[in-house]
Structure formats: structure tokens, C-alpha cells
Amino acid sequence: MDTLISNVTVVTMNERSQVLFGAYLGITDGKITYLDKVPPQDTPATIVDGTGMVAMPGLVNCRLPLQMIFLIVWIVNILSVFWMVYLFLSL
């Protein structure tokens, strides 16, 4: 096991939508290989204290698309104003 995140809150996304508080999350070669409420027998290379943190699958940098949507909408609005001014002045 490469990394062990201890005392972390884990949202599992399984059939029962379990949330594990104070869990141990083991990572080997970039993949989750251990998830339990008791520490593993193996000694990991790195231990990270996950107190106050939440581990959730599939939410990687989830704030970026929302920011990009606001930026795109703002740019489209600015361009549409310029286009309307151009059309008005060309009449």
C-alpha cells in the first residue's frame, strides 16, 4: 500500500449509499485498495491525516466547469452586445 488516509469521512456510492466516518482509505498504484473502519495490517509508505476531510468518488475538480459556464455566458453576452451595436450602427 502506497498511501493510507486515516480518520476520513468516506461517501461510498454503493447500493445503500453508506457514509463511513473515521474510516481508513488505502491507495496502491493510484487505485483504492482498502476501505474499512479498522486500520490495515500492511504498513503504508505514506500516512495522511484525513481529519475533517471527505473522500467522494468521481468528484475531481467539480468547481471548474461551473466557473467556465459563467465565463462563457459572460463572453457570449458581451459579444452579443457588440454585435447589436454593430448592427445598429450599420443601418
Side-chain angles (χ1 to χ4, degrees):
M1 185 179 314
D2 300 329
T3 305
L4 177 68
I5 304 173
S6 63
N7 199 26
V8 66
T9 301
V10 179
V11 180
T12 60
M13 303 301 232
N14 62 9
E15 297 84 25
R16 296 178 294 173
S17 298
Q18 284 181 304
V19 178
L20 304 176
F21 297 96
Y24 293 87
L25 182 82
I27 302 169
T28 304
D29 296 327
K31 296 182 181 178
I32 296 174
T33 56
Y34 185 83
L35 179 60
D36 205 341
K37 299 275 289 182
V38 296
Q41 298 295 328
D42 299 339
T43 304
T46 306
I47 298 176
V48 177
D49 182 19
T51 303
M53 297 185 185
V54 178
M56 298 172 62
L59 297 177
V60 178
N61 201 7
C62 61
R63 63 191 166 93
L64 181 64
L66 184 61
Q67 292 172 345
M68 292 302 294
I69 289 171
F70 288 132
L71 179 63
I72 290 169
V73 168
W74 182 75
I75 290 171
V76 167
N77 285 335
I78 294 295
L79 291 177
S80 65
V81 168
F82 284 127
W83 180 248
M84 286 188 286
V85 169
Y86 172 75
L87 289 176
F88 180 75
L89 293 177
S90 64
L91 291 177

